[in-house]
Amino acid sequence: GYAAEELTFQLGKRLTEQMRRTAKRHQVTMNTLLQAAWGVVLQKYNNNGDVVFGSVVSGRPDNIPGIDRMIGLFINTIPVRIRSEAETTFADLLRATQEQALASRAYETYPLYEIQALTEQKQDLVNHIIVFENFPVEQEMEQMGGDSADSFGIANVAMSEQTNYAFNITVMPGDDMGIHFEYNALAFDRSTLERMRGHLVHMLE
């Protein structure tokens, strides 16, 4: 069964700005910084310097003929592998993760099940995903509001999503970055997710 629960928290403007400065200094994206930080947390949990999770990508690769005339979301999940040794610095890890992200763009339309079939782990290769939202829905909705006669409002918006995974991380960018842990309460208890939150925030700090 699946009992959907969520743990939502903000990182705060100060930490978000520190992360932005760190990403800029090392010439990586905020998504790369988040993936590297989460990878380190996973390495500690698993006592292993080599971990994999899924990353949801969306876009319209211009190398596909006729892409400008196609209708669809073009959403896919690709594996992200975070590897490090004892002597690896976080700056090294950031660079390696960014290089891997750039190299993986050529495979963003490759079905995950085919990638999994090429590995020893098969379906166990990915057991959770990270979604880095690239469209600030809440900010756009705020900007659409107004008091003019020709404006309209959007209220009582609710979304419900469920993946095939018992645990998902959704990152909401902005001046005060938000993170949602969506999980199956039949597989994880709340206290475990609270600890995960604390470990991720500590790593980012």
Side-chain angles (χ1 to χ4, degrees):
Y2 198 105
E5 294 286 348
E6 185 177 283
L7 174 62
T8 301
F9 56 98
Q10 304 295 126
L11 295 180
K13 291 184 178 181
R14 179 175 161 276
L15 178 55
T16 302
E17 180 55 31
Q18 288 176 327
M19 290 164 57
R20 189 171 287 114
R21 285 200 303 267
T22 300
K24 185 176 181 180
R25 185 167 66 249
H26 295 286
Q27 298 180 319
V28 302
T29 65
M30 288 287 276
N31 188 16
T32 294
L33 190 147
L34 255 298
Q35 288 183 349
W38 178 247
V40 172
V41 172
L42 280 184
Q43 288 173 349
K44 297 300 183 185
Y45 282 172
N46 292 282
N47 194 28
N48 192 325
D50 191 355
V51 296
V52 178
F53 54 86
S55 174
V56 175
V57 294
S58 62
R60 293 176 170 270
D62 55 12
N63 61 341
I64 297 178
I67 191 72
D68 58 329
R69 295 184 303 278
M70 294 181 189
I71 297 174
L73 295 176
F74 290 86
I75 292 176
N76 193 23
T77 299
I78 59 172
V80 175
R81 187 176 188 182
I82 305 292
R83 287 183 286 182
S84 62
E85 305 294 336
E87 66 276 7
T88 304
T89 66
F90 191 66
D92 293 336
L93 188 61
L94 283 175
R95 282 191 292 272
T97 304
Q98 184 74 20
E99 288 169 6
Q100 176 180 272
L102 293 172
S104 71
R105 285 187 178 165
Y107 307 96
E108 285 186 350
T109 58
Y110 205 74
L112 178 60
Y113 66 86
E114 291 189 18
I115 295 174
Q116 291 171 318
L118 298 172
T119 68
E120 291 181 12
Q121 294 83 7
K122 304 299 181 193
Q123 300 305 314
D124 293 330
L125 179 67
V126 171
N127 64 15
H128 70 284
I129 60 174
I130 292 183
V131 182
F132 194 95
E133 295 287 354
N134 57 10
F135 186 77
V137 177
E138 293 173 3
Q139 292 174 14
E140 288 295 317
M141 287 172 58
E142 286 175 8
Q143 291 176 9
M144 286 174 61
D147 298 323
S148 63
D150 60 349
S151 69
F152 66 93
I154 299 175
N156 299 324
V157 175
M159 292 187 298
S160 178
E161 296 178 286
Q162 183 176 320
T163 69
N164 295 326
Y165 305 103
F167 178 60
N168 309 293
I169 302 173
T170 302
V171 181
M172 304 298 294
D175 293 337
D176 182 0
M177 183 174 284
I179 297 181
H180 306 293
F181 286 171
E182 294 130 8
Y183 64 98
N184 181 357
L186 302 180
F188 294 94
D189 58 53
R190 185 81 175 185
S191 61
T192 298
L193 272 295
E194 294 279 1
R195 282 196 303 275
M196 281 186 187
R197 175 181 65 178
H199 292 149
L200 178 57
V201 171
H202 178 71
M203 180 63 215
L204 291 170
E205 289 172 342

